Amino acid sequence: MGKGCITVTKYFLFLFNLLFFVFGALIMGFGLWILFDNQSFIAVLQESSDTVKVASHILIAVGSLSMAMGFFGCIGAIYEIRCLLGLYFTCLLLILIAQVTAGVLIYFQREPLKYEMSNIINTMIINYTGTNRTTEHTWDYIQRTMKCCGWTGPGNWTENILIKNSSQNLYPCSCRNESRPGTDIKDVGMCDHLSQELPIYETGCVTSVEKWLLDNCGVILGICVGVAVIELLGMILSMCLCKSVVQEDYTKVPKY
């Protein structure tokens, strides 16, 4: 390979490593969002399921590793260090294999994951009191913004302990359909209605959640494909540059 080609390959590899560093930061940021968010559907699942917590820690670890690899890949490309380029290629290959494996597992575990999610939500609805500021208030927020009630429908709330043991016509305030007549409108907790015909939404939130996932599926898939393409290009460029470097020259490495 000519000197000009080596230079072009080197700076292209540097650019891809820079992009890889940025993608790693995005993945780590997504993991941190899952871990600390308390205003979305994720917060409800996280409070009751160790799976979501483990997934967030894995994302943070993968993002941190990707950032470190991007940094070392940049150093290996600019200063043409074969051992760093070889290590970078090996790590990229392992990460790509891990990503494909994780994607396959999630695809084939769709039904068990959906069943676990359903159990988490139904358990939360049964024990709902309106005082838990993390999961219960987040679920109230979801029902208000998505204009839905219960997981599969309003009937899920008939199993709630407070509603079952009350002589009043109680219903969750966040299920309140504002287009129907009535005056008692609150964001959280239980509300009382004079008649048994409750002014609530008739659709379950599972439909709204699935619609949200379908609407954002293209974005999620696009990010995954983008990361995979960058990884493949990084592997190709690192091997090309590694073969072009005749011997190590550690004098190029800056000393601090």
Side-chain angles (χ1 to χ4, degrees):
M1 187 183 292
K3 188 175 179 180
C5 290
I6 293 175
T7 303
V8 171
T9 303
K10 180 168 67 173
Y11 286 104
F12 262 113
L13 184 59
F14 175 83
L15 177 62
F16 280 116
N17 277 293
L18 187 61
L19 290 173
F20 198 69
F21 181 88
V22 172
F23 273 114
L26 289 174
I27 292 171
M28 186 175 70
F30 184 60
L32 289 170
W33 172 70
I34 291 175
L35 193 61
F36 295 110
D37 179 67
N38 60 358
Q39 285 294 321
S40 71
F41 182 69
I42 296 293
V44 179
L45 300 179
Q46 186 187 144
E47 187 77 9
S48 307
S49 175
D50 291 332
T51 305
V52 177
K53 294 177 183 177
V54 170
S56 65
H57 285 103
I58 290 173
L59 286 171
I60 292 169
V62 169
S64 302
L65 179 61
S66 299
M67 290 175 69
M69 283 178 54
F71 175 76
F72 288 118
C74 286
I75 297 296
I78 290 297
Y79 297 106
E80 300 177 13
I81 302 173
R82 293 187 71 183
C83 63
L84 281 181
L85 291 170
L87 179 64
Y88 172 73
F89 174 86
T90 305
C91 291
L92 269 184
L93 181 62
L94 291 174
I95 287 179
L96 190 61
I97 292 170
Q99 287 173 342
V100 172
T101 304
V104 170
L105 287 174
I106 291 171
Y107 179 80
F108 286 107
Q109 293 294 315
R110 293 193 315 278
E111 291 306 317
L113 287 172
K114 189 174 179 180
Y115 178 76
E116 182 184 1
M117 189 183 300
S118 178
N119 283 339
I120 291 169
I121 301 301
N122 285 326
T123 302
M124 188 273 300
I125 287 174
I126 290 171
N127 298 307
Y128 179 91
T129 60
T131 57
N132 188 316
R133 297 184 63 86
T134 304
T135 55
E136 293 180 354
H137 287 195
T138 300
W139 183 246
D140 286 325
Y141 174 79
I142 292 165
Q143 290 190 137
R144 284 198 314 273
T145 55
M146 291 189 169
K147 297 183 178 181
C148 55
C149 188
W151 182 236
T152 56
N156 296 139
W157 284 100
T158 59
E159 298 299 318
N160 176 264
I161 295 172
L162 287 179
I163 293 176
K164 286 176 74 174
N165 295 329
S166 175
S167 58
Q168 299 173 300
N169 295 319
L170 295 180
Y171 67 92
C173 299
S174 56
C175 282
R176 175 78 161 80
N177 189 339
E178 296 182 13
S179 64
R180 295 189 178 184
T183 57
D184 194 7
I185 299 177
K186 294 192 297 185
D187 289 339
V188 298
M190 292 293 184
C191 291
D192 184 22
H193 196 61
L194 296 177
S195 69
Q196 291 186 342
E197 189 177 344
L198 302 176
I200 58 177
Y201 296 112
E202 298 297 330
T203 57
C205 292
V206 62
T207 306
S208 301
V209 171
E210 287 177 347
K211 183 180 182 299
W212 181 88
L213 289 172
L214 286 173
D215 290 342
N216 292 275
C217 185
V219 176
I220 297 169
L221 186 62
I223 291 173
C224 292
V225 171
V227 171
V229 168
I230 288 175
E231 287 172 350
L232 284 170
L233 288 172
M235 289 167 63
I236 294 168
L237 290 173
S238 64
M239 284 308 296
C240 290
L241 186 59
C242 191
K243 286 183 178 181
S244 301
V245 177
V246 178
Q247 61 182 24
E248 304 286 8
D249 186 3
Y250 292 103
T251 59
K252 294 181 179 180
V253 182
K255 295 177 173 60
Y256 299 99

